[in-house]
Amino acid sequence: MSQHRHPGAPGRAGAVPVLPDLPEATVARLPEYLRALHNLADAGHETVSSEGLSAAAGVNSAKLRKDLSHLGSYGTRGVGYDVALLIEQIEYVLGLTQRRAVALVGVGNLGHALAGYDGFASRGFRIAALLDADPSRVGEEINGLVVRHVDELPAVAAEESIAIGVIATPAGAAQRVADQLVAVGVTSILNFAPCVLSVPEGVDVRKVDLAIELQILSFHEHRKASLTALPATGGSALTALPGGLAATDTQEAIGT
Amino acid sequence: MSQHRHPGAPGRAGAVPVLPDLPEATVARLPEYLRALHNLADAGHETVSSEGLSAAAGVNSAKLRKDLSHLGSYGTRGVGYDVALLIEQIEYVLGLTQRRAVALVGVGNLGHALAGYDGFASRGFRIAALLDADPSRVGEEINGLVVRHVDELPAVAAEESIAIGVIATPAGAAQRVADQLVAVGVTSILNFAPCVLSVPEGVDVRKVDLAIELQILSFHEHRKASLTALPATGGSALTALPGGLAATDTQEAIGT
DNA sequence: AGGCGCTTGTGAAGACGTGCACAAATCGCG
DNA sequence: CGCGATTTGTGCACGTCTTCACAAGCGCCT
């Protein structure tokens, strides 16, 4: 870490400097820091310490400092971080300086909500197209955008460069849509359908499954309940599991 | 791992056996396995190998075997896993044998979609109440449920035991709602609002932020673009960062 | 100018998660 | 009955992530 802040390489548009390859865990936290920083900026703070920022983002302060150090970091010892500068750094690294176009496929229950979600626009993204396979939905106007048929994807991609595809279709249609997105050059996909997508190498897929989150919470609920129910049992049969339970009432729930 | 399948301890309702404390990473994958297993069961498979199941769930097969071994596992060497039995095991561990009641607070854009999302009902959850702070929304009927005012939360909790609270409000209202949920005894919260919640110890919070997912994808897009733009630069200045970029056009964004 | 308090950046250690590779176990067949 | 094919369960090594603790650096006050 000899010299950062080397004056050269401003390179407004072209010549993107090579990005440091951040740990994936760090990348996942940067948006969190960014949000906290925006809040601080709105509240009028000019600088913030790692302690303060980590509290606002809900993480350990040492972790925050290490995360920021990975991107070269511009903190000042004894003072803290310049809020505005740090916002820029993170937005640059995350590639948010350009407003990326998002294509949303599947305008059902969830798709409708996503199309109207202002959190996208406010954080550097622009929904460029709404698509659906159902002809009865094509033509509908949502939030100022007209729903087009998914087969028009090539045309949409030709009109403007789609950076990210969002899949909000039923599981059965998701793989097909993913293939179509890949075919028109999309290399980043956010998948809300509860299924595994297979995509060629070089394409990033992130998955959000609302039911999975609930199931994880359910586990912890179950766990808490089982612990408070048997507070006496010290450390004896930790590996105990139901086992025989298959015979009784679960049968009617599963069956055929 | 001497003797599993010990015949005793079926204990229908009461006497919940102590759950093994699974690694968090394993818990997060169990719902994935569960979904894949349901698909296999629907397709008529009676047994499945770790290889087959791991492919369907999109994970490494060794990882899957280790995950399943943590819950005692009921595979048969040379054969594989009994699909129906494994479904039961996982559903039991995740606490899905009882249909847990969910209270959804915030019936705006996203809340509407969540209220209508059938993925909850189909995977062991039941939306027991819809709540909102906006009086103009109270009384509205969504999917057979009438929206009630959030201040009625104590009454709702008294009517039936709420296992999980889902927060789909704007960020500004989220902490307040979380406090209300905690006050009526909810110990698991799924938060869709883009903010950090502070809750007492013993309360689990999981967070889903749609914009964060996009930002993570944006980073990878940015990274891919910067790599393909400079394919010649071998391994020289890997730590290069913009740095000077603050001097030019960013100034007008910050300044004061 | 010098010292003091505060904060960053980082080395090192420990916890955690992953994946290979193989022994142990089971089934089916001759 | 024995053997080979198959598949689980797991020991081990490796990589990643987290956390502590502290030296280095910075600004302010005297």
Short mmCIF file of all heavy atoms in Angstrom, two decimals, chain D residues 1-15:
data_model
loop_
_atom_site.label_atom_id
_atom_site.label_comp_id
_atom_site.label_asym_id
_atom_site.label_seq_id
_atom_site.Cartn_x
_atom_site.Cartn_y
_atom_site.Cartn_z
P DC D 1 -24.17 -68.95 3.81
OP1 DC D 1 -23.52 -68.50 4.96
OP2 DC D 1 -25.52 -68.68 3.40
"O5'" DC D 1 -23.28 -68.85 2.52
"C5'" DC D 1 -22.57 -69.99 2.05
"C4'" DC D 1 -21.61 -69.49 1.01
"O4'" DC D 1 -22.34 -69.18 -0.21
"C3'" DC D 1 -20.90 -68.20 1.42
"O3'" DC D 1 -19.54 -68.29 1.03
"C2'" DC D 1 -21.63 -67.10 0.64
"C1'" DC D 1 -22.06 -67.84 -0.62
N1 DC D 1 -23.32 -67.30 -1.21
C2 DC D 1 -23.33 -66.93 -2.56
O2 DC D 1 -22.29 -67.08 -3.23
N3 DC D 1 -24.46 -66.44 -3.10
C4 DC D 1 -25.55 -66.30 -2.35
N4 DC D 1 -26.67 -65.81 -2.93
C5 DC D 1 -25.58 -66.68 -0.97
C6 DC D 1 -24.44 -67.15 -0.45
P DG D 2 -18.45 -67.37 1.72
OP1 DG D 2 -17.40 -68.20 2.32
OP2 DG D 2 -19.16 -66.36 2.52
"O5'" DG D 2 -17.84 -66.65 0.43
"C5'" DG D 2 -17.58 -67.41 -0.73
"C4'" DG D 2 -17.49 -66.49 -1.93
"O4'" DG D 2 -18.81 -66.07 -2.34
"C3'" DG D 2 -16.71 -65.19 -1.68
"O3'" DG D 2 -15.92 -64.92 -2.81
"C2'" DG D 2 -17.79 -64.17 -1.46
"C1'" DG D 2 -18.85 -64.66 -2.43
N9 DG D 2 -20.21 -64.24 -2.13
C8 DG D 2 -20.82 -64.20 -0.90
N7 DG D 2 -22.06 -63.79 -0.95
C5 DG D 2 -22.28 -63.54 -2.31
C6 DG D 2 -23.43 -63.05 -2.98
O6 DG D 2 -24.52 -62.77 -2.49
N1 DG D 2 -23.22 -62.93 -4.35
C2 DG D 2 -22.04 -63.24 -4.98
N2 DG D 2 -22.03 -63.05 -6.30
N3 DG D 2 -20.95 -63.68 -4.38
C4 DG D 2 -21.15 -63.80 -3.04
P DC D 3 -14.71 -63.90 -2.73
OP1 DC D 3 -13.46 -64.67 -2.75
OP2 DC D 3 -15.00 -62.96 -1.63
"O5'" DC D 3 -14.85 -63.14 -4.11
"C5'" DC D 3 -15.66 -63.71 -5.16
"C4'" DC D 3 -16.20 -62.60 -6.03
"O4'" DC D 3 -17.55 -62.29 -5.65
"C3'" DC D 3 -15.42 -61.28 -5.91
"O3'" DC D 3 -15.28 -60.70 -7.18
"C2'" DC D 3 -16.28 -60.46 -4.98
"C1'" DC D 3 -17.67 -60.91 -5.40
N1 DC D 3 -18.72 -60.72 -4.37
C2 DC D 3 -20.01 -60.33 -4.75
O2 DC D 3 -20.26 -60.15 -5.94
N3 DC D 3 -20.95 -60.15 -3.78
C4 DC D 3 -20.64 -60.35 -2.50
N4 DC D 3 -21.61 -60.17 -1.59
C5 DC D 3 -19.34 -60.74 -2.10
C6 DC D 3 -18.42 -60.91 -3.04
P DG D 4 -14.09 -59.66 -7.47
OP1 DG D 4 -13.09 -60.33 -8.32
OP2 DG D 4 -13.71 -59.04 -6.20
"O5'" DG D 4 -14.83 -58.56 -8.36
"C5'" DG D 4 -15.80 -58.98 -9.32
"C4'" DG D 4 -16.88 -57.94 -9.44
"O4'" DG D 4 -17.76 -57.98 -8.28
"C3'" DG D 4 -16.37 -56.49 -9.51
"O3'" DG D 4 -17.12 -55.79 -10.48
"C2'" DG D 4 -16.61 -55.96 -8.10
"C1'" DG D 4 -17.90 -56.67 -7.75
N9 DG D 4 -18.16 -56.81 -6.32
C8 DG D 4 -17.26 -57.14 -5.34
N7 DG D 4 -17.79 -57.18 -4.15
C5 DG D 4 -19.13 -56.86 -4.35
C6 DG D 4 -20.19 -56.75 -3.43
O6 DG D 4 -20.17 -56.93 -2.21
N1 DG D 4 -21.38 -56.39 -4.07
C2 DG D 4 -21.52 -56.18 -5.41
N2 DG D 4 -22.73 -55.85 -5.82
N3 DG D 4 -20.54 -56.28 -6.28
C4 DG D 4 -19.37 -56.62 -5.69
P DA D 5 -16.54 -54.48 -11.19
OP1 DA D 5 -16.18 -54.80 -12.57
OP2 DA D 5 -15.56 -53.87 -10.27
"O5'" DA D 5 -17.84 -53.56 -11.21
"C5'" DA D 5 -19.12 -54.17 -11.39
"C4'" DA D 5 -20.19 -53.31 -10.76
"O4'" DA D 5 -20.33 -53.63 -9.35
"C3'" DA D 5 -19.91 -51.80 -10.83
"O3'" DA D 5 -21.09 -51.13 -11.24
"C2'" DA D 5 -19.51 -51.44 -9.40
"C1'" DA D 5 -20.32 -52.44 -8.59
N9 DA D 5 -19.73 -52.76 -7.29
C8 DA D 5 -18.43 -53.05 -7.04
N7 DA D 5 -18.19 -53.30 -5.76
C5 DA D 5 -19.42 -53.15 -5.15
C6 DA D 5 -19.83 -53.27 -3.82
N6 DA D 5 -19.00 -53.60 -2.82
N1 DA D 5 -21.13 -53.06 -3.53
C2 DA D 5 -21.96 -52.73 -4.54
N3 DA D 5 -21.68 -52.58 -5.84
C4 DA D 5 -20.38 -52.82 -6.08
P DT D 6 -21.06 -49.57 -11.56
OP1 DT D 6 -21.96 -49.31 -12.68
OP2 DT D 6 -19.64 -49.12 -11.58
"O5'" DT D 6 -21.72 -48.97 -10.24
"C5'" DT D 6 -22.95 -49.50 -9.77
"C4'" DT D 6 -23.28 -48.96 -8.40
"O4'" DT D 6 -22.44 -49.59 -7.40
"C3'" DT D 6 -23.05 -47.45 -8.25
"O3'" DT D 6 -24.26 -46.85 -7.83
"C2'" DT D 6 -21.97 -47.34 -7.17
"C1'" DT D 6 -22.14 -48.63 -6.41
N1 DT D 6 -20.92 -49.09 -5.70
C2 DT D 6 -21.03 -49.43 -4.36
O2 DT D 6 -22.07 -49.38 -3.75
N3 DT D 6 -19.85 -49.85 -3.78
C4 DT D 6 -18.61 -49.94 -4.39
O4 DT D 6 -17.64 -50.32 -3.75
C5 DT D 6 -18.57 -49.55 -5.77
C7 DT D 6 -17.27 -49.61 -6.51
C6 DT D 6 -19.72 -49.15 -6.36
P DT D 7 -24.52 -45.29 -8.02
OP1 DT D 7 -25.86 -45.10 -8.57
OP2 DT D 7 -23.33 -44.69 -8.67
"O5'" DT D 7 -24.52 -44.80 -6.50
"C5'" DT D 7 -25.35 -45.49 -5.57
"C4'" DT D 7 -24.90 -45.17 -4.17
"O4'" DT D 7 -23.69 -45.93 -3.86
"C3'" DT D 7 -24.54 -43.71 -3.93
"O3'" DT D 7 -25.26 -43.22 -2.82
"C2'" DT D 7 -23.05 -43.72 -3.64
"C1'" DT D 7 -22.87 -45.11 -3.05
N1 DT D 7 -21.48 -45.62 -3.11
C2 DT D 7 -20.97 -46.24 -2.00
O2 DT D 7 -21.61 -46.42 -0.98
N3 DT D 7 -19.67 -46.65 -2.13
C4 DT D 7 -18.86 -46.50 -3.24
O4 DT D 7 -17.70 -46.92 -3.24
C5 DT D 7 -19.46 -45.84 -4.36
C7 DT D 7 -18.65 -45.62 -5.62
C6 DT D 7 -20.72 -45.44 -4.25
P DT D 8 -25.16 -41.66 -2.42
OP1 DT D 8 -26.49 -41.09 -2.59
OP2 DT D 8 -24.00 -41.01 -3.03
"O5'" DT D 8 -24.88 -41.84 -0.85
"C5'" DT D 8 -25.72 -42.68 -0.09
"C4'" DT D 8 -25.00 -43.15 1.16
"O4'" DT D 8 -23.73 -43.74 0.79
"C3'" DT D 8 -24.70 -42.03 2.16
"O3'" DT D 8 -25.04 -42.46 3.47
"C2'" DT D 8 -23.19 -41.79 1.99
"C1'" DT D 8 -22.69 -43.15 1.55
N1 DT D 8 -21.48 -43.11 0.69
C2 DT D 8 -20.33 -43.69 1.15
O2 DT D 8 -20.24 -44.25 2.23
N3 DT D 8 -19.26 -43.63 0.28
C4 DT D 8 -19.24 -43.03 -0.97
O4 DT D 8 -18.23 -43.05 -1.67
C5 DT D 8 -20.48 -42.43 -1.38
C7 DT D 8 -20.57 -41.77 -2.72
C6 DT D 8 -21.52 -42.49 -0.55
P DG D 9 -25.30 -41.39 4.61
OP1 DG D 9 -26.24 -41.98 5.58
OP2 DG D 9 -25.61 -40.10 3.98
"O5'" DG D 9 -23.87 -41.28 5.30
"C5'" DG D 9 -23.39 -42.37 6.04
"C4'" DG D 9 -21.94 -42.15 6.45
"O4'" DG D 9 -21.10 -42.14 5.27
"C3'" DG D 9 -21.65 -40.84 7.18
"O3'" DG D 9 -20.77 -41.14 8.26
"C2'" DG D 9 -20.98 -39.99 6.11
"C1'" DG D 9 -20.22 -41.04 5.34
N9 DG D 9 -19.88 -40.68 3.97
C8 DG D 9 -20.69 -40.08 3.03
N7 DG D 9 -20.11 -39.91 1.87
C5 DG D 9 -18.83 -40.43 2.05
C6 DG D 9 -17.75 -40.52 1.14
O6 DG D 9 -17.69 -40.16 -0.03
N1 DG D 9 -16.63 -41.12 1.73
C2 DG D 9 -16.58 -41.57 3.03
N2 DG D 9 -15.44 -42.12 3.43
N3 DG D 9 -17.59 -41.48 3.89
C4 DG D 9 -18.68 -40.90 3.34
P DT D 10 -20.42 -40.08 9.34
OP1 DT D 10 -20.47 -40.76 10.63
OP2 DT D 10 -21.22 -38.87 9.09
"O5'" DT D 10 -18.89 -39.74 9.01
"C5'" DT D 10 -17.97 -40.80 8.84
"C4'" DT D 10 -16.61 -40.26 8.43
"O4'" DT D 10 -16.56 -40.03 7.00
"C3'" DT D 10 -16.21 -38.93 9.06
"O3'" DT D 10 -14.81 -38.97 9.31
"C2'" DT D 10 -16.50 -37.93 7.97
"C1'" DT D 10 -16.03 -38.75 6.77
N1 DT D 10 -16.52 -38.28 5.47
C2 DT D 10 -15.69 -38.38 4.38
O2 DT D 10 -14.56 -38.84 4.44
N3 DT D 10 -16.22 -37.92 3.21
C4 DT D 10 -17.48 -37.38 3.02
O4 DT D 10 -17.84 -37.01 1.92
C5 DT D 10 -18.30 -37.31 4.20
C7 DT D 10 -19.68 -36.76 4.11
C6 DT D 10 -17.78 -37.75 5.36
P DG D 11 -14.34 -38.81 10.82
OP1 DG D 11 -14.70 -40.03 11.56
OP2 DG D 11 -14.82 -37.50 11.29
"O5'" DG D 11 -12.75 -38.77 10.66
"C5'" DG D 11 -12.10 -39.90 10.09
"C4'" DG D 11 -10.91 -39.46 9.24
"O4'" DG D 11 -11.38 -38.99 7.95
"C3'" DG D 11 -10.08 -38.33 9.83
"O3'" DG D 11 -8.70 -38.58 9.56
"C2'" DG D 11 -10.59 -37.10 9.10
"C1'" DG D 11 -10.91 -37.67 7.73
N9 DG D 11 -11.96 -36.96 7.02
C8 DG D 11 -13.17 -36.54 7.54
N7 DG D 11 -13.93 -35.95 6.66
C5 DG D 11 -13.19 -35.98 5.48
C6 DG D 11 -13.50 -35.48 4.19
O6 DG D 11 -14.52 -34.90 3.83
N1 DG D 11 -12.47 -35.71 3.29
C2 DG D 11 -11.28 -36.34 3.59
N2 DG D 11 -10.41 -36.46 2.59
N3 DG D 11 -10.98 -36.82 4.79
C4 DG D 11 -11.97 -36.59 5.69
P DC D 12 -7.55 -37.71 10.13
OP1 DC D 12 -6.40 -38.59 10.38
OP2 DC D 12 -8.10 -36.86 11.21
"O5'" DC D 12 -7.18 -36.76 8.90
"C5'" DC D 12 -7.02 -37.35 7.61
"C4'" DC D 12 -6.77 -36.25 6.58
"O4'" DC D 12 -8.03 -35.75 6.08
"C3'" DC D 12 -6.00 -35.03 7.12
"O3'" DC D 12 -4.98 -34.68 6.21
"C2'" DC D 12 -7.08 -33.95 7.22
"C1'" DC D 12 -8.00 -34.34 6.06
N1 DC D 12 -9.39 -33.84 6.18
C2 DC D 12 -10.04 -33.36 5.04
O2 DC D 12 -9.43 -33.36 3.97
N3 DC D 12 -11.31 -32.91 5.14
C4 DC D 12 -11.93 -32.92 6.33
N4 DC D 12 -13.18 -32.46 6.39
C5 DC D 12 -11.28 -33.41 7.51
C6 DC D 12 -10.03 -33.86 7.39
P DA D 13 -3.77 -33.75 6.68
OP1 DA D 13 -2.53 -34.55 6.68
OP2 DA D 13 -4.17 -33.02 7.90
"O5'" DA D 13 -3.69 -32.72 5.47
"C5'" DA D 13 -3.95 -33.18 4.14
"C4'" DA D 13 -4.49 -32.04 3.30
"O4'" DA D 13 -5.89 -31.82 3.62
"C3'" DA D 13 -3.80 -30.70 3.53
"O3'" DA D 13 -3.55 -30.09 2.28
"C2'" DA D 13 -4.79 -29.92 4.37
"C1'" DA D 13 -6.11 -30.45 3.83
N9 DA D 13 -7.26 -30.31 4.72
C8 DA D 13 -7.29 -30.51 6.07
N7 DA D 13 -8.47 -30.31 6.61
C5 DA D 13 -9.27 -29.96 5.55
C6 DA D 13 -10.64 -29.63 5.45
N6 DA D 13 -11.46 -29.59 6.49
N1 DA D 13 -11.12 -29.32 4.22
C2 DA D 13 -10.28 -29.36 3.18
N3 DA D 13 -8.99 -29.67 3.14
C4 DA D 13 -8.54 -29.96 4.37
P DC D 14 -2.57 -28.84 2.17
OP1 DC D 14 -1.53 -29.18 1.18
OP2 DC D 14 -2.22 -28.40 3.53
"O5'" DC D 14 -3.53 -27.76 1.52
"C5'" DC D 14 -4.45 -28.14 0.49
"C4'" DC D 14 -5.56 -27.12 0.40
"O4'" DC D 14 -6.53 -27.35 1.44
"C3'" DC D 14 -5.08 -25.68 0.57
"O3'" DC D 14 -5.48 -24.93 -0.56
"C2'" DC D 14 -5.76 -25.20 1.85
"C1'" DC D 14 -6.98 -26.10 1.90
N1 DC D 14 -7.54 -26.29 3.28
C2 DC D 14 -8.90 -26.03 3.49
O2 DC D 14 -9.61 -25.68 2.54
N3 DC D 14 -9.42 -26.19 4.74
C4 DC D 14 -8.62 -26.58 5.74
N4 DC D 14 -9.16 -26.73 6.95
C5 DC D 14 -7.24 -26.84 5.54
C6 DC D 14 -6.74 -26.68 4.31
P DG D 15 -4.75 -23.49 -0.85
OP1 DG D 15 -4.23 -23.51 -2.23
OP2 DG D 15 -3.86 -23.14 0.29
"O5'" DG D 15 -6.00 -22.51 -0.82
"C5'" DG D 15 -7.19 -22.85 -1.56
"C4'" DG D 15 -8.37 -22.14 -0.94
"O4'" DG D 15 -8.63 -22.72 0.36
"C3'" DG D 15 -8.16 -20.64 -0.73
"O3'" DG D 15 -9.19 -19.93 -1.39
"C2'" DG D 15 -8.18 -20.47 0.79
"C1'" DG D 15 -8.97 -21.68 1.26
N9 DG D 15 -8.61 -22.13 2.61
C8 DG D 15 -7.38 -22.53 3.05
N7 DG D 15 -7.37 -22.89 4.31
C5 DG D 15 -8.68 -22.69 4.73
C6 DG D 15 -9.29 -22.90 6.00
O6 DG D 15 -8.76 -23.31 7.03
N1 DG D 15 -10.64 -22.57 5.97
C2 DG D 15 -11.32 -22.10 4.88
N2 DG D 15 -12.62 -21.84 5.06
N3 DG D 15 -10.78 -21.92 3.69
C4 DG D 15 -9.46 -22.23 3.69
#
